[in-house]
Amino acid sequence: QVQLVESGGGLVQAGDSLRLSCAASGRTFSSYAMGWFRQAPGKEREFVTAIAGIGTYSYYADSVKGRFTISRDNVKNTVYLQMNSLKTEDTAVYYCAARLTSILSLRVYDYTYWGQGTQVTVSS
């Protein structure tokens, strides 16, 4: 069982930055690919970014490429999402997720464990 706890969400203005954190339990964190997804009201949960379990290979949705950066600290069992140049359309609940393989995926159903989510609201 893996427990994920997100933090760092909040209310910011367009153009601001936020850093989300996701702390994971378990002793095999480095073997899990980790992803960030988001869900806006009335919309389906969508892929934002993911990072492989080993190394730094990552992938980004086109909508956040160049603005968001995912990273992980396998000693602290934590994955981060640095969000810069935030836009109003980035407003959503952000979820981190763990996949029971080191290979990242863009698909929601490939991830087994999910955090409770953290709200990010970007005002104009």
Side-chain angles (χ1 to χ4, degrees):
Q1 189 77 9
V2 177
Q3 292 185 326
L4 303 174
V5 179
E6 300 103 334
S7 61
L11 171 63
V12 296
Q13 292 188 328
D16 285 350
S17 299
L18 271 179
R19 188 175 83 154
L20 306 184
S21 300
C22 174
S25 65
R27 293 177 290 178
T28 56
F29 177 74
S30 62
S31 66
Y32 303 150
M34 298 296 296
W36 285 98
F37 294 79
R38 66 187 182 186
Q39 188 165 18
K43 295 187 177 181
E44 294 187 350
R45 192 167 298 188
E46 66 173 5
F47 171 80
V48 175
T49 180
I51 188 167
I54 298 173
T56 58
Y57 180 75
S58 57
Y59 193 84
Y60 296 88
D62 287 343
S63 59
V64 306
K65 200 173 296 182
R67 300 188 297 122
F68 290 12
T69 303
I70 189 172
S71 61
R72 65 189 299 159
D73 185 331
N74 288 339
V75 173
K76 295 182 178 179
N77 282 13
T78 302
V79 62
Y80 304 97
L81 180 62
Q82 178 66 43
M83 305 185 293
N84 298 329
S85 301
L86 282 161
K87 304 176 181 180
T88 56
E89 52 262 45
D90 295 319
T91 294
V93 177
Y94 283 71
Y95 299 89
C96 73
R99 188 181 187 211
L100 298 183
T101 171
S102 62
I103 301 171
L104 66 84
S105 171
L106 282 62
R107 301 181 298 190
V108 170
Y109 52 81
D110 280 339
Y111 289 81
T112 303
Y113 298 104
W114 292 81
Q116 81 287 353
T118 185
Q119 177 71 46
V120 172
T121 303
V122 184
S123 64
S124 59

